């Protein structure tokens, strides 16, 4: 896609504390702002979720998923396809 909207993914791990505290995967994005291009927003979100799926699993040595927190500006209204998709 020729859009320059971005997403950032990171894993936060506790430096100190009990060993049972799990790292957490954080994602943040800004989707396209265009009311008529919901198809691009859905594609951007699908790509983000696909990368998040790989990232949250690859960062964990036990091959289970890390807890995920997804944040961002989805430029969507309630009952839009983006909300239904999520």
């Amino acid at each position: 896609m020729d859009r320059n909207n971005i997403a950032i993914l990171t894993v936060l791990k506790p430096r100190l504390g009990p060993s049972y505290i799990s790292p957490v995967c954080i994602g943040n994005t800004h989707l396209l702002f265009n009311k008529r291009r919901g198809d691009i927003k859905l594609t951007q979100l699908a790509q983000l979720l696909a990368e998040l799926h790989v990232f949250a699993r690859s960062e964990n040595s036990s091959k289970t998923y890390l807890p995920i927190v997804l944040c961002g500006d989805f430029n969507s209204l309630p009952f839009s396809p983006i909300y239904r998709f999520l």
Side-chain angles (χ1 to χ4, degrees), residues 13-21:
K13 300 175 184 175
R15 292 179 64 185
L16 303 172
S19 62
Y20 61 84
I21 297 177

Side-chain angles (χ1 to χ4, degrees), residues 27-85:
N28 191 25
T29 188
H30 181 260
L31 300 183
L32 176 72
F33 176 75
N34 187 331
K35 294 178 184 179
R36 296 177 304 229
R37 296 310 311 258
D39 56 331
I40 291 183
K41 287 186 235 186
L42 279 171
T43 302
Q44 290 176 329
L45 184 59
Q47 288 178 332
L48 171 59
L49 293 176
E51 290 298 322
L52 195 56
H53 166 79
V54 172
F55 191 76
R57 187 161 183 181
S58 68
E59 290 293 321
N60 194 359
S61 61
S62 67
K63 298 301 177 199
T64 60
Y65 289 97
L66 294 176
I68 297 171
V69 176
L70 180 59
C71 307
D73 182 353
F74 298 99
N75 281 314
S76 298
L77 297 171
F79 309 109
S80 69
I82 294 286
Y83 274 74
R84 286 192 297 258
F85 183 74

Side-chain angles (χ1 to χ4, degrees), residues 1-20:
M1 292 178 37
D2 63 348
R3 305 291 176 187
N4 59 1
N5 301 79
I6 62 167
I8 298 172
L9 304 177
T10 191
V11 172
L12 300 179
K13 300 175 184 175
R15 292 179 64 185
L16 303 172
S19 62
Y20 61 84

